[in-house]
């Protein structure tokens, strides 16, 4: 009997619930987001910048501690980044109401009592690796992103200039997207999706990357929230750490930091050159990956349609994103 071989049943995964765009209606992920470089927040100055669906200000209090708050005055909505720091308070440019470093209106200019709820939205704020970070929520759900080696023991370089035209969780799906690593970056990635440890606000796993020109790199990977990924590898015999984290911007855009770090030297001969080379190579590799993705990320219309066997790692990440907590708590105040 003539047996006609049937095509193999495609191994396709269930599509699952859609992952809604980040917006005031759907909420924004409760992540730590890099807001600006620490050096941009000068004493006695007000720094204004875009964030999520609107705009925030960053200031320093009398102790030099950074604070990120909604940018629009609670009186008639003037942009407080056009104001001035007067007597340790943010003075609105319009009618000179004054707000303290926690965002509470402490005075009007006409001796009217400030309304009881005249308070800016004050984001939990932290500084790390030369950036000011704000947590989207009333209280942080996890520690600000960090390497397994304390910041004081590291030398690092930073950049904050790569812009992608997608919600932040989409570019950060890249590190779990094995098909694209091969097709776009020519990187062969070995990782077992079953070995990924998934916690409510972070992921942790090991992988081996085979990178053209760099050989096999064994990496420890940490994912914080849905907008930050850290790779720890060995290069030139020393640990090299890369962190990239994205700031959510209006219009479903994301601005990305890149941080490359390596342990400080111990004064061995030739060590300074090695550190320099490790940091340059870490930064170059991070930029190369972003550049290779750029055109695709610009035009992609995200959907989780038909995933296949090789997408198991990506499917785990997308399930993690789907379950991730969101909030709109600040959205009205910053827009
Ligand atoms: S708008 Fe700020 S004080 Fe009136
Ligand atoms: Fe990529």
């Amino acid at each position: 009997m003539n047996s006609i071989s049937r095509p193999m049943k495609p191994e396709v995964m269930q599509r699952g619930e859609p992952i809604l765009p980040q917006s005031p209606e759907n909420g924004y992920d409760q992540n730590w987001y890099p807001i600006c470089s620490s050096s941009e927040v000068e004493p006695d100055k007000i720094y204004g910048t875009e964030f999520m669906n609107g705009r925030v200000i960053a200031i320093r209090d009398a102790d030099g501690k950074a604070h990120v708050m909604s940018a629009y005055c609670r009186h008639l909505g003037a942009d407080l980044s056009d104001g001035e720091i007067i007597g340790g308070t943010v003075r609105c440019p319009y009618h000179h109401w004054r707000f303290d470093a926690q965002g509470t209106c402490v005075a009007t200019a006409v001796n009217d009592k400030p309304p009881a709820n005249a308070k800016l939205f004050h984001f939990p704020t932290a500084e790390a690796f030369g950036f000011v970070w704000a947590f989207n929520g009333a209280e942080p759900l996890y520690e600000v992103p960090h390497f397994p080696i304390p910041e004081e023991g590291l030398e690092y370089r930073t950049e904050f200039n790569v812009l992608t035209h997608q919600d932040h969780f989409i570019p950060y799906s890249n590190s779990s997207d094995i098909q694209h690593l091969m097709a776009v970056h020519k990187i062969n990635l070995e990782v077992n999706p079953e070995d990924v440890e998934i916690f409510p606000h972070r992921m942790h796993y090991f992988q081996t990357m085979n990178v053209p020109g760099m050989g096999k790199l064994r990496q420890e990977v940490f994912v914080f929230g849905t907008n930050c990924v850290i790779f720890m590898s060995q290069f030139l015999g020393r640990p090299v750490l890369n962190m990239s984290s994205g700031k959510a911007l209006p219009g479903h855009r994301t601005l990305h930091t890149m941080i490359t770090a390596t342990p400080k030297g111990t004064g061995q001969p030739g060590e300074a050159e090695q550190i320099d080379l490790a940091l340059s190579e870490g930064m170059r590799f991070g930029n190369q990956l972003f550049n290779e993705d750029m055109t695709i990320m610009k035009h992609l219309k995200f959907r989780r349609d038909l995933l296949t066997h090789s997408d198991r790692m990506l499917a785990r990440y997308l399930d993690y994103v789907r379950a991730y907590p969101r909030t709109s708590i600040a959205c009205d105040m910053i827009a």
Side-chain angles (χ1 to χ4, degrees):
M1 187 176 142
N2 187 15
S3 73
I4 299 169
S5 61
R6 289 166 184 268
M8 270 176 63
K9 197 173 165 202
E11 197 177 349
V12 172
M13 292 179 182
Q14 211 53 38
R15 182 176 180 189
E17 292 298 309
I19 300 176
L20 299 173
Q22 309 273 314
S23 67
E25 298 74 35
N26 304 327
Y28 284 80
D29 289 335
Q30 294 199 56
N31 291 328
W32 281 102
Y33 293 91
I35 296 298
C36 57
S37 297
S38 290
S39 59
E40 287 171 309
V41 190
E42 298 177 58
D44 295 323
K45 296 255 171 69
I46 307 171
Y47 183 79
T49 185
E50 291 180 297
F51 180 40
M52 296 197 298
N53 59 317
R55 194 166 164 79
V56 292
I57 55 167
I59 60 156
R60 292 194 183 279
D61 65 20
D63 298 328
K65 194 170 175 303
H67 298 266
V68 175
M69 300 183 280
S70 51
Y72 298 109
C73 180
R74 292 305 305 272
H75 183 209
L76 294 184
D79 182 343
L80 296 169
S81 65
D82 294 328
E84 286 177 69
I85 298 284
I86 304 284
T89 60
V90 173
R91 190 181 72 176
C92 177
Y94 205 179
H95 313 95
H96 289 189
W97 287 20
R98 288 159 63 155
F99 298 86
D100 69 14
Q102 293 301 318
T104 302
C105 181
V106 290
T108 64
V110 287
N111 283 332
D112 289 356
K113 193 167 175 251
N117 56 354
K119 190 165 183 347
L120 307 175
F121 186 85
H122 183 280
F123 290 87
T125 306
E127 280 192 80
F129 296 100
F131 293 101
V132 173
W133 303 73
F135 187 83
N136 177 37
E139 294 294 333
L141 298 177
Y142 59 96
E143 261 183 72
V144 73
H146 52 279
F147 292 123
I149 300 171
E151 182 171 341
E152 314 77 72
L154 293 169
E155 279 200 33
Y156 56 86
R157 288 187 195 160
T158 63
E159 290 180 8
F160 196 18
N161 50 20
V162 174
L163 181 72
T164 55
H165 294 254
Q166 303 290 338
D167 279 336
H168 54 268
F169 69 88
I170 299 168
Y172 289 96
S173 72
N174 252 229
S175 51
S176 306
D177 182 346
I178 294 174
Q179 290 202 41
H180 114 284
L181 286 168
M182 176 56 93
V184 178
H185 304 301
K186 314 295 175 230
I187 291 173
N188 198 335
L189 186 81
E190 294 163 29
V191 61
N192 182 354
E194 307 310 318
D195 292 344
V196 177
E197 292 181 281
I198 301 184
F199 304 92
H201 312 108
R202 64 187 177 92
M203 296 169 60
H204 175 240
Y205 54 95
F206 291 88
Q207 64 184 19
T208 303
M209 267 190 174
N210 206 335
V211 186
M214 292 175 83
K216 269 199 171 191
L217 298 175
R218 174 84 175 146
Q219 294 182 319
E220 188 170 4
V221 184
F222 304 85
V223 175
F224 286 100
T226 58
N227 69 332
C228 180
V229 64
I230 290 174
F231 298 106
M232 182 155 98
S233 340
Q234 290 277 328
F235 182 71
L236 298 173
R238 55 186 310 115
V240 177
L241 303 113
N242 275 288
M243 180 194 297
S244 181
S245 185
K247 171 190 184 185
L249 296 176
H252 305 288
R253 294 170 301 136
T254 305
L255 187 66
H256 302 267
T257 65
M258 282 215 287
I259 304 168
T260 296
T262 193
K264 281 182 176 162
T266 52
Q268 303 296 314
E271 206 177 29
E273 292 74 22
Q274 268 198 348
I275 289 174
D276 193 51
L277 195 56
L279 293 177
S280 301
E281 187 57 14
M283 216 40 127
R284 184 204 63 75
F285 185 50
N287 272 309
Q288 179 190 322
L289 294 182
F290 265 120
N291 288 337
E292 288 171 349
D293 284 324
M294 204 49 92
T295 308
I296 301 157
M297 278 294 148
K298 198 163 181 182
H299 298 132
L300 177 147
K301 289 191 189 301
F302 176 79
R303 53 198 297 159
R304 179 188 169 177
D305 255 354
L306 302 175
L307 303 186
T308 62
H309 184 78
S310 301
D311 291 321
R312 285 171 302 149
M313 184 73 184
L314 178 59
R316 288 209 81 177
Y317 172 78
L318 294 178
D319 285 343
Y320 164 79
V321 170
R322 187 176 286 109
Y324 200 79
R326 295 187 181 196
T327 182
S328 301
I329 190 173
C331 290
D332 272 1
M333 305 276 273
I334 63 175

